[in-house]
């Protein structure tokens, strides 16, 4: 028997709800500044080796601001509120999703930060990368700099959360799986994808689900993709 059950004191989440910020918005953008700049400098350094140094290449630097400006308005008002029998997701301080605990069909730990079933076919990402490639090409006249922009984008995605955990003292605690993903069982599967920014948030969520659902998130299935067909549901599969 897990002795942690004995350590958890009863908490009335209706009177004292657990609130977790949605870090995938402004916070993620904030933490991505350094990794993005590092990735861009690496890409530019490689580009200067392939081609003679050209001041035009540094026109790429303002393009990095695109990442931060797009989500700046969401710096506040995006968070999860956990009650005894339901979870509410707020964005711009309005309820966008409601998850009754008895409707949760699956829970996993993941690396994947996507939050919508529509993103299973990430066409928008492909379009975004094409636009960045064209912007890099048009800004400098060199195709290699379009590649540099794509490299910067990928480097930022792969290193931003590591940088966040380094600053928060949780580097190595989560490994790759720092997203707690909840799936609702209905015809159109809804998803709550919670980025756990540090160890304290993980422990708070673990206590919550052990008390309300008798579920230890430490034992959850781990997956890289939130759309993995091997995810086990209570009543149905993908």
């Amino acid at each position: 028997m897990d002795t942690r059950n004995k350590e958890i004191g009863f908490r009335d989440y209706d009177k004292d709800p657990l609130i977790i910020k949605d870090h995938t918005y402004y916070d993620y953008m904030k933490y991505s500044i350094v990794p993005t700049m590092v990735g861009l400098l690496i890409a530019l350094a490689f580009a200067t080796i392939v081609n003679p140094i050209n001041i035009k290449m540094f026109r790429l630097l303002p393009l990095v601001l695109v990442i931060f400006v797009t989500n700046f308005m969401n710096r506040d008002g995006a968070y999860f509120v956990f009650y005894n029998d339901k979870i509410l997701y707020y964005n711009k301080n309005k309820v966008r999703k409601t998850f009754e605990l008895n409707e949760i069909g699956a829970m996993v730990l993941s690396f994947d930060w996507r939050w919508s079933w529509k993103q299973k076919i990430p066409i928008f990402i492909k379009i975004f990368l094409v636009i960045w490639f064209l912007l890099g090409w048009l800004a400098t006249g060199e195709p290699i700099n379009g590649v540099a922009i794509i490299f910067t984008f990928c480097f930022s995605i792969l290193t931003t959360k590591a940088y966040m955990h380094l600053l928060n003292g949780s580097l190595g605690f989560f490994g790759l799986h720092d997203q707690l993903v909840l799936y609702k069982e209905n015809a159109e599967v809804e998803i709550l994808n919670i980025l756990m920014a540090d160890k304290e948030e993980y422990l708070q969520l673990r206590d919550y689900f052990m008390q309300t659902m008798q579920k230890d998130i430490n034992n959850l299935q781990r997956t890289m993709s939130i759309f993995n067909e091997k995810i086990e549901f209570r009543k149905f599969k993908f």
Side-chain angles (χ1 to χ4, degrees):
M1 180 177 179
D2 194 334
T3 57
R4 186 170 177 78
N5 285 311
K6 299 178 180 179
E7 301 172 5
I8 300 173
F10 178 80
R11 173 175 172 178
D12 188 342
Y13 288 98
D14 286 339
K15 294 182 179 179
D16 181 21
L18 171 63
I19 300 175
I20 300 289
K21 191 173 183 179
D22 185 1
H23 301 287
T24 56
Y25 279 87
Y26 178 70
D27 281 359
Y28 188 90
M29 298 299 106
K30 176 184 68 177
Y31 287 118
S32 69
I33 293 175
V34 171
T36 300
M37 295 303 296
V38 170
L40 184 57
L41 291 175
I42 293 173
L44 289 175
F46 175 76
T48 58
I49 294 174
V50 175
N51 295 304
I53 295 177
N54 188 334
I55 193 64
K56 290 182 179 181
M57 290 164 45
F58 293 93
R59 293 178 185 176
L60 297 175
L61 288 172
L63 298 180
V64 177
L65 296 176
V66 173
I67 299 177
F68 314 121
V69 172
T70 52
N71 281 326
F72 180 77
M73 298 306 295
N74 288 314
R75 64 188 183 277
D76 296 311
Y79 52 92
F80 305 89
V81 182
F82 298 79
Y83 295 100
N84 288 331
D85 57 357
K86 64 185 176 183
I87 305 169
L88 301 182
Y89 174 62
Y90 287 79
N91 191 292
K92 296 182 180 179
N93 292 314
K94 294 183 179 179
V95 177
R96 304 297 181 180
K97 294 182 180 180
T98 300
F99 268 54
E100 301 288 342
L101 296 189
N102 60 8
E103 294 179 348
I104 293 177
M107 300 170 61
V108 299
L109 294 176
S110 181
F111 170 82
D112 195 339
W113 48 266
R114 291 176 289 178
W115 62 90
S116 171
W117 192 258
K118 297 177 182 179
Q119 294 170 307
K120 187 176 182 180
I121 303 176
I123 296 177
F124 78 97
I125 292 181
K126 297 177 183 178
I127 295 174
F128 183 77
L129 291 176
V130 169
I131 292 174
W132 271 53
F133 178 84
L134 293 175
L135 286 174
W137 192 339
L138 292 173
T140 65
E142 296 290 343
I144 187 63
N145 296 315
V147 175
I149 287 294
I150 295 176
F151 170 84
T152 302
F153 178 75
C154 295
F155 183 86
S156 177
I157 287 179
L158 294 174
T159 60
T160 292
K161 289 199 289 186
Y163 179 66
M164 175 188 73
H165 290 307
L166 176 65
L167 294 182
N168 292 345
S170 51
L171 184 64
F173 176 76
F174 292 100
L176 293 175
H177 304 94
D178 56 2
Q179 304 272 167
L180 176 61
V181 189
L182 312 179
Y183 301 81
K184 183 183 288 189
E185 285 193 347
N186 55 25
E188 297 179 358
V189 177
E190 291 185 57
I191 298 171
L192 286 184
N193 198 342
I194 306 166
L195 171 57
M196 297 174 285
D198 53 42
K199 182 178 179 180
E200 179 61 27
E201 287 189 347
Y202 169 84
L203 293 176
Q204 289 179 326
L205 288 167
R206 189 182 183 198
D207 288 350
Y208 172 81
F209 284 104
M210 289 189 73
Q211 177 177 310
T212 58
M213 296 182 65
Q214 294 73 54
K215 189 80 170 178
D216 188 349
I217 65 173
N218 190 53
N219 298 328
L220 293 178
Q221 179 183 355
R222 285 162 169 77
T223 178
M224 292 301 292
S225 170
I226 63 171
F227 303 117
N228 188 339
E229 294 183 359
K230 295 182 180 179
I231 294 175
E232 297 180 358
F233 281 77
R234 289 190 305 176
K235 300 178 182 177
F236 68 96
K237 295 183 180 296
F238 287 101

